[in-house]
Amino acid sequence: MESGIFDRIIMQLVTGLYWTLCLSMAASILSLIVGFVAGLIKSIHVPIITYVVNFYTYIVRGVPFLLLLFIIYYVLPFFNIRLSPFIAGVLSLVIHEGAYMTEIIRSGIESVEKGQHEAAHSLGLNYFQKMRYIILPQAIKITLPPLAGQFVLLIKSTALISLIGLTDLTRVGRQLTQRGENPFLIFFIVGIFYFVICYPIINISDRLERSV
Amino acid sequence: MNYFFQWRIIEKYSDYFYRGFFNTLSISAISISLALIFGIILAILKRSEIKGLSWLSGGYINLIRSTPLLVQVYFVYFGLPYININISGYWCGVIALVLNSGAYISEIVRAGLESIPNGQVEAAQSLGIDKRQTYIYIILPQALRKIIPPLIGQFTYLIKDSSILAAIGIYELTNTANVVHARTFKPIEPFVVALLGYIIIVTILMISANILKKKFSLSGY
């Protein structure tokens, strides 16, 4: 029995791990882009667009991720937009995590001293030059630790997409227990898989935070 | 798009929504109180001078922070019956939330405790106050001031996290919306109700956090 544990459990879980990783990668990159653009907009106060972005971050941060996922997966088909669980998962992760990343990036930009903005202006730099050479290099240092923490939350949120039918790590674990495997063992191993992915990122985030 | 929002559905299933709203609030309230106690214990263990205890507490916190809540919920909900401990789904949910939130709260508490300057402890020592009394009368009252605003933040996270208990069939707000959707085949109305429910709770907590933050902030700190 012990010899079969590898084929029976570990190999199955690795196939689930593949989907968890795909989902995390796609959602991380896209939500970082959303957060970056929306964070920039929020920091420069364009009248109407800033209100729209404020409304977006306010609503999304007040809503549980699972509810958002259900809304996207169940309400959109009502308007004849059918999404696969994977696409629905990526979309809801990007909307959800994008809002948090917006706040992180905005606070990073705003934490750079006002004098730096004024100095850049007085040197005759335009907005893009100012951001590229003065503000962002300083802001990145501050935003990196919370951003890494947010990536960990994103990876952990992917587990919920198993509830709409994507066979990710958590769902494979659930299926194995339905076949009568020991749930303690299975979910412990599933936990170890997530731990191996997330703990290094948490560790880096903690270290960066201490060094800032 | 000519779609009419059908209030009748909400009216017809209003009992469901009340129950869902109440369950979300009660699970969250019970869990946050227990998690606060658990979190304080974890934080004190982590600061303890006995290496084994602080290592154990730190390991636990890292393990919880690195794994999804859904896996922890499954671990409790499917694991406990396997070793012949049968408790209702509601309390399995509470246990999982307490185990999870306790780890995060302990980090908040620890940051609060560490923000108290060492001079306070030394002053207490020189006055002949013992360690336990130092904690209770000197450190904790000062730390609490700093802990309360982030603690309310954690409470909002916990309320949102309680939606995950839909996965084990507890009728909280998210699951209620899902059930009403399954019965009526109308997704918009129930999900809008759930959405507004969460936003109302979170907004109230955010406002109260801001008020408390102003009330507890001292000049010079």
Side-chain angles (χ1 to χ4, degrees):
Chain A
M1 187 163 169
E2 284 302 311
S3 62
I5 194 170
F6 191 78
D7 290 332
R8 222 177 57 222
I9 295 171
I10 306 291
M11 289 316 287
Q12 299 267 334
L13 286 175
V14 168
T15 61
L17 180 67
Y18 169 77
W19 283 108
T20 295
L21 287 179
C22 283
L23 201 59
S24 307
M25 291 278 195
S28 301
I29 294 166
L30 291 174
S31 59
L32 190 59
I33 294 170
V34 169
F36 188 74
V37 172
L40 273 181
I41 290 171
K42 219 174 161 171
S43 72
I44 50 175
H45 302 289
V46 195
I48 297 165
I49 304 172
T50 303
Y51 287 126
V52 174
V53 173
N54 278 341
F55 183 70
Y56 157 65
T57 54
Y58 171 71
I59 293 290
V60 169
R61 294 194 317 154
V63 169
F65 175 66
L66 186 61
L67 184 63
L68 187 70
L69 182 66
F70 280 166
I71 289 174
I72 286 182
Y73 192 62
Y74 294 127
V75 175
L76 288 186
F78 201 73
F79 299 108
N80 285 323
I81 305 167
R82 288 187 194 285
L83 301 173
S84 69
F86 183 81
I87 300 294
V90 171
L91 186 60
S92 46
L93 276 172
V94 169
I95 292 173
H96 189 254
E97 301 297 323
Y100 286 91
M101 289 189 189
T102 302
E103 289 297 317
I104 292 171
I105 295 199
R106 178 197 57 85
S107 70
I109 291 171
E110 282 177 1
S111 69
V112 177
E113 271 177 74
K114 214 176 170 199
Q116 300 279 334
H117 288 265
E118 289 161 355
H121 261 298
S122 65
L123 284 171
L125 298 181
N126 65 26
Y127 178 76
F128 290 101
Q129 288 169 327
K130 181 183 83 176
M131 279 296 164
R132 165 75 182 78
Y133 296 108
I134 314 285
I135 307 300
L136 289 181
Q138 299 181 64
I140 281 174
K141 242 187 180 170
I142 304 158
T143 50
L144 227 41
L147 221 47
Q150 201 59 42
F151 282 128
V152 172
L153 290 178
L154 187 150
I155 294 167
K156 291 194 287 176
S157 295
T158 62
L160 288 175
I161 293 155
S162 68
L163 294 177
I164 59 167
L166 185 79
T167 38
D168 75 331
L169 198 49
T170 308
R171 191 173 173 87
V172 173
R174 179 79 189 91
Q175 286 168 344
L176 285 170
T177 59
Q178 278 167 339
R179 276 184 238 149
E181 303 283 353
N182 180 346
F184 271 129
L185 179 71
I186 296 292
F187 289 121
F188 187 74
I189 298 174
V190 169
I192 296 289
F193 270 87
Y194 280 107
F195 183 82
V196 169
I197 306 169
C198 295
Y199 182 66
I201 307 177
I202 287 184
N203 208 351
I204 292 169
S205 166
D206 284 353
R207 266 166 212 227
L208 284 173
E209 203 160 68
R210 257 175 266 144
S211 71
V212 164
Chain B
M1 206 160 299
N2 42 7
Y3 179 78
F4 293 103
F5 196 85
Q6 296 183 7
W7 292 102
R8 273 186 316 153
I9 294 173
I10 298 171
E11 228 176 284
K12 192 177 166 197
Y13 289 95
S14 59
D15 290 349
Y16 283 57
F17 288 116
Y18 282 129
R19 189 182 58 174
F21 195 72
F22 177 76
N23 274 345
T24 288
L25 284 182
S26 76
I27 288 178
S28 308
I30 295 169
S31 302
I32 195 78
S33 336
L34 295 176
L36 183 59
I37 299 168
F38 185 47
I40 291 175
I41 294 171
L42 277 177
I44 291 173
L45 283 183
K46 190 155 185 207
R47 279 163 62 93
S48 120
E49 275 139 30
I50 306 163
K51 269 269 147 55
L53 285 180
S54 94
W55 188 86
L56 205 68
S57 163
Y60 173 79
I61 292 165
N62 281 331
L63 192 68
I64 291 288
R65 282 187 1 170
S66 312
T67 51
L69 177 58
L70 183 64
V71 174
Q72 294 156 15
V73 169
Y74 279 167
F75 187 77
V76 172
Y77 185 70
F78 295 113
L80 288 183
Y82 195 77
I83 52 167
N84 286 324
I85 299 173
N86 287 306
I87 43 177
S88 69
Y90 185 96
W91 289 103
C92 282
V94 169
I95 291 172
L97 283 176
V98 170
L99 291 179
N100 180 276
S101 241
Y104 288 94
I105 289 175
S106 82
E107 290 287 277
I108 294 172
V109 172
R110 194 172 58 93
L113 293 177
E114 275 171 6
S115 71
I116 306 303
N118 221 13
Q120 298 279 334
V121 181
E122 285 159 12
Q125 261 171 359
S126 68
L127 286 170
I129 299 170
D130 70 26
K131 237 184 160 165
R132 192 181 59 88
Q133 285 175 321
T134 309
Y135 253 112
I136 295 173
Y137 296 111
I138 314 282
I139 298 179
L140 277 182
Q142 298 186 68
L144 221 52
R145 219 177 255 286
K146 301 211 157 148
I147 290 169
I148 283 174
L151 204 60
I152 295 176
Q154 186 59 39
F155 190 32
T156 62
Y157 278 116
L158 194 147
I159 288 169
K160 288 188 277 174
D161 280 346
S162 72
S163 69
I164 290 174
L165 303 183
I168 56 170
I170 290 164
Y171 290 106
E172 42 68 68
L173 206 44
T174 302
N175 200 17
T176 304
N178 209 7
V179 167
V180 174
H181 155 238
R183 292 210 178 169
T184 57
F185 298 108
K186 297 260 186 269
I188 295 172
E189 290 82 0
F191 285 126
V192 165
V193 173
L195 191 94
L196 289 178
Y198 282 111
I199 287 180
I200 289 168
I201 302 174
V202 169
T203 304
I204 291 171
L205 281 172
M206 257 161 62
I207 292 169
S208 56
N210 279 334
I211 293 171
L212 284 174
K213 211 175 186 172
K214 268 179 210 146
K215 205 175 166 193
F216 282 131
S217 65
L218 291 177
S219 53
Y221 261 90

